[in-house]
């Protein structure tokens, strides 16, 4: 039995509730490229990108899609006026007021596991508070899953994760399974894509010859993005110290400090430990440099093009197993060889397609050997860059977003009918309301 088809969407709303503008992290970047692809591939539809009031968007009238700056009241009107609404976080009121709308939940990150990691720092002094907060977060995620007609994620592991969650919520019953045994019209992977910009030489130097201590002739390793709880920059620093014992031309730049719109996120315990170890090893502002700002999205290209190599080390935990490191796609765009830790799907791709070197968790010697191999073996380095360039052809935003384009053209969903979900959704929201209230009072 096939999934029931819907009418082609004439009005598509992309809701970006994160910071949007020159400085933005992955939610804003993904929303921007989603709007570009949908506007190009759905000329018969009006595509609107709704961003927070006060977002800095120069010349919005020149964009191929509409821009709307929203407040909560205006947001409800925007949802009313559109056929398909895409977001990775819906305001609770929207779900209650517009049950007949078609909602796509863009869960390209396993937020529950990210929050589990982040709260290890933020709520370390109050285990009860952390437990209560996470209980509320889990119930909110469950409610959003219940409300979605289509869910997009970043890889097949995440699809397995969400299928399990939806089975637990009662979303996949025998009728839903018979309509769509592969659940392709309910959950579909849409990975983060490669930016479409051609690679150009930097307009002006940003690291080499600019930072005191980084010469134009040095070999530059880049860590692009913030330092969060699940990352392991300390292993990288210890590996660099070993490399520095016999060559002083290898430099490392951490590019990315506090995440835009998220306070001090990115400058927490792990970041402070990184600064302290860099000083302890005698690397700080000699071989290791920190840019504490969040580099604008269109400017980070200059940093990537100047680099010779990218490294990202992290812990092989549950967050890693389900992750899709969005920072890696700019590494691939710049055709840089990548050294990364094993455990996630992109690390598997790097190993299988020889796009760099994959190392065991917390293995200082392996990271040091990988750096020396890539920077010391020119033939291997050039061959690796060529393989990265070829691999990029299948990772463009246009390719990645085709399942979403197809869904907007033919909104086929194998989700339970909304009326079947209404009682479950009411229960989920009531549980979330209670859990949220408890979380506000627990100390």
């Amino acid at each position: 039995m096939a999934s029931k088809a819907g009418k082609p969407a004439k009005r598509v709303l992309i809701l970006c509730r994160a910071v949007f503008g020159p400085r933005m992290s992955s939610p804003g970047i993904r929303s921007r490229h989603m709007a570009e692809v949908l506007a190009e591939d759905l000329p018969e539809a009006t595509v609107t990108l709704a961003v927070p009031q006060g977002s800095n968007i120069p010349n919005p009238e020149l964009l191929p899609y509409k821009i709307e700056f929203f407040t909560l009241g205006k947001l409800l009107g925007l949802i009313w006026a559109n056929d398909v609404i895409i977001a990775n976080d819906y305001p609770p009121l929207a779900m209650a007021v517009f049950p007949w709308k078609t909602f796509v939940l863009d869960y390209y990150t396993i937020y529950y596991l990210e929050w589990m990691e982040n709260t290890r720092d933020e709520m370390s002094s109050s285990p009860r508070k952390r437990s209560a907060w996470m209980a509320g977060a889990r119930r909110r995620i469950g409610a959003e899953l219940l409300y979605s007609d289509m869910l997009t994620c970043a890889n097949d592991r995440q699809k397995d994760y969400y299928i399990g969650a939806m089975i637990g919520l009662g979303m996949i019953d025998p009728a839903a399974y018979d309509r769509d045994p592969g659940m392709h019209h309910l959950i579909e992977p849409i990975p983060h894509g490669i930016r479409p910009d051609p690679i150009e030489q930097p307009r002006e130097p940003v690291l080499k010859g600019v930072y005191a201590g980084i010469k134009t002739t040095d070999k530059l390793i880049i860590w692009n993005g913030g330092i969060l709880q699940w990352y392991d920059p300390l292993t990288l620093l210890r590996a660099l110290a070993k490399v520095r014992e016999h060559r002083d031309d290898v430099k490392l730049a951490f590019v990315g400090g506090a995440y835009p719109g998220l306070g001090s996120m990115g400058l927490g315990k792990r970041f402070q430990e990184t600064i302290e170890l860099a000083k302890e090893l005698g690397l700080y502002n000699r071989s290791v440099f920190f840019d504490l700002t969040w580099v604008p999205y269109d400017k980070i290209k200059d940093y990537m093009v100047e680099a010779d190599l990218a490294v990202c080390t992290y812990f092989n935990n549950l967050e890693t197993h389900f992750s899709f490191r969005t920072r890696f796609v700019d590494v691939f765009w710049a055709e840089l060889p990548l050294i990364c830790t094993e455990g996630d799907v992109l690390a598997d791709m790097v190993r299988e397609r020889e796009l760099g070197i994959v190392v065991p968790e917390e293995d200082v010697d392996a990271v040091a050997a990988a750096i020396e191999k890539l920077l010391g073996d020119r033939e291997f380095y050039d061959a690796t860059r060529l393989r990265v360039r070829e691999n990029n052809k299948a990772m463009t935003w246009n390719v990645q977003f085709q399942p979403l384009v197809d869904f907007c053209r033919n909104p086929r969903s194998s989700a339970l009918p909304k009326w079947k979900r209404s009682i479950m959704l009411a229960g989920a929201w009531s549980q979330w309301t209670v859990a949220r209230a408890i979380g506000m009072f627990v100390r």
Side-chain angles (χ1 to χ4, degrees):
M1 184 186 300
S3 300
K4 185 178 179 180
K7 295 180 180 179
K10 294 297 184 183
R11 297 174 299 276
V12 178
L13 176 67
I14 301 165
L15 171 58
C16 177
R17 302 186 73 188
V19 169
F20 191 90
R23 286 182 169 84
M24 55 187 175
S25 54
S26 61
I29 294 168
R30 189 171 173 91
S31 296
R32 167 180 158 175
H33 289 291
M34 182 186 296
E36 291 172 349
V37 172
L38 293 185
E40 178 182 348
D41 288 5
L42 299 171
E44 68 280 8
T46 299
V47 176
T48 301
L49 175 60
V51 298
Q53 191 76 36
S55 296
N56 178 18
I57 306 177
N59 304 314
E61 68 280 358
L62 301 180
L63 297 172
Y65 48 87
K66 290 177 60 179
I67 287 285
E68 292 282 358
F69 301 92
F70 68 81
T71 58
L72 179 58
K74 187 174 183 180
L75 180 57
L76 295 178
L78 288 170
I79 294 175
W80 170 272
N82 285 272
D83 306 319
V84 174
I85 297 92
I86 307 166
N88 64 7
D89 182 30
Y90 287 108
L93 187 58
M95 301 189 190
V97 175
F98 305 110
W100 65 89
K101 294 291 185 179
T102 299
F103 286 87
V104 177
L105 188 61
D106 187 29
Y107 261 12
Y108 68 96
T109 292
I110 305 292
Y111 289 105
Y112 186 79
L113 297 178
E114 281 202 1
W115 295 339
M116 191 74 81
E117 286 285 338
N118 285 333
T119 55
R120 293 174 72 179
D121 272 354
E122 297 171 3
M123 301 181 186
S124 59
S125 61
S126 178
R128 291 178 60 200
K129 176 74 173 178
R130 181 186 179 207
S131 180
W133 191 92
M134 288 303 304
R138 176 171 59 83
R139 286 172 171 82
R140 173 159 187 161
I141 290 170
E144 294 202 341
L145 290 174
L146 279 169
Y147 204 72
S148 62
D149 299 292
M150 175 69 173
L151 185 141
T152 55
C153 55
N155 55 53
D156 286 330
R157 289 186 191 179
Q158 290 186 4
K159 180 171 180 175
D160 294 344
Y161 174 97
Y162 287 121
I163 285 177
M166 287 188 167
I167 289 173
L169 289 167
M171 286 278 286
I172 301 176
D173 66 359
Y177 182 85
D178 289 346
R179 285 194 301 271
D180 183 14
M183 291 295 119
H184 298 294
H185 300 302
L186 181 62
I187 309 174
E188 197 66 8
I190 298 182
H192 222 61
I194 300 289
R195 65 168 77 220
D197 319 47
I199 296 179
E200 300 173 350
Q201 291 304 309
R203 291 183 291 272
E204 59 183 29
V206 290
L207 291 169
K208 289 185 176 181
V210 175
Y211 276 58
I214 305 181
K215 301 175 183 177
T216 56
T217 55
D218 283 339
K219 298 296 184 182
L220 180 62
I221 301 170
I222 193 166
W223 173 293
N224 64 314
I227 301 174
L228 297 172
Q229 179 70 23
W230 52 86
Y231 289 108
D232 176 26
L234 306 187
T235 292
L236 173 56
L237 291 182
R238 294 187 177 102
L240 185 64
K242 291 179 69 72
V243 173
R244 189 170 176 265
E245 290 174 1
H246 51 273
R247 51 182 304 179
D248 61 2
D249 64 333
V250 180
K251 306 296 169 64
L252 167 64
F254 287 90
V255 179
Y259 281 69
L262 296 175
S264 61
M265 180 176 169
L267 301 178
K269 179 182 176 182
R270 188 75 67 215
F271 176 85
Q272 299 302 327
E273 291 173 343
T274 306
I275 294 282
E276 291 169 7
L277 183 61
K279 292 179 178 179
E280 179 185 323
L281 294 174
L283 303 174
Y284 187 75
N285 284 346
R286 297 177 64 189
S287 296
V288 178
F289 304 84
F290 295 84
D291 187 327
L292 304 186
T293 64
W294 194 264
V295 179
Y297 178 60
D298 288 328
K299 184 70 174 175
I300 191 66
K301 297 182 294 185
D302 294 343
Y303 289 76
M304 303 305 297
V305 171
E306 272 195 30
D308 298 283
L309 176 67
V311 179
C312 187
T313 43
Y314 36 86
F315 299 104
N316 191 358
N317 55 21
L318 200 57
E319 187 280 334
T320 289
H321 178 77
F322 287 107
S323 72
F324 184 96
R325 307 280 180 213
T326 56
R327 64 184 63 198
F328 285 8
V329 294
D330 272 339
V331 172
F332 298 144
W333 169 83
E335 299 174 4
L336 293 178
L338 173 66
I339 298 172
C340 63
T341 308
E342 64 188 5
D344 61 287
V345 294
L346 286 181
D348 289 348
M349 186 179 77
V350 169
R351 177 187 286 116
E352 291 164 7
R353 302 180 188 179
E354 299 180 281
L355 310 179
I357 297 176
V358 178
V359 296
E361 177 186 30
E362 297 186 87
D363 192 327
V364 173
D365 290 339
V367 176
I371 292 172
E372 295 196 30
K373 173 67 174 177
L374 281 163
L375 296 183
D377 186 337
R378 189 69 200 187
E379 183 178 351
F380 176 72
Y381 179 87
D382 289 342
T384 302
R385 291 197 71 155
L386 181 59
R387 287 189 291 268
V388 174
R389 183 182 307 150
E390 289 300 310
N391 187 68
N392 286 350
K393 295 175 183 178
M395 294 187 68
T396 64
W397 283 110
N398 291 76
V399 172
Q400 307 289 48
F401 275 131
Q402 280 312 298
L404 186 57
V405 171
D406 293 341
F407 181 81
C408 290
R409 285 182 178 146
N410 183 14
R412 300 174 63 192
S413 176
S414 50
L416 289 176
K418 288 284 177 70
W419 65 269
K420 283 190 175 182
R421 289 182 261 164
S422 58
I423 296 177
M424 294 186 292
L425 185 62
W429 278 117
S430 62
Q431 291 174 17
W432 173 70
T433 301
V434 171
R436 185 186 184 195
I438 292 172
M440 292 174 65
F441 290 102
V442 171
R443 294 290 181 265

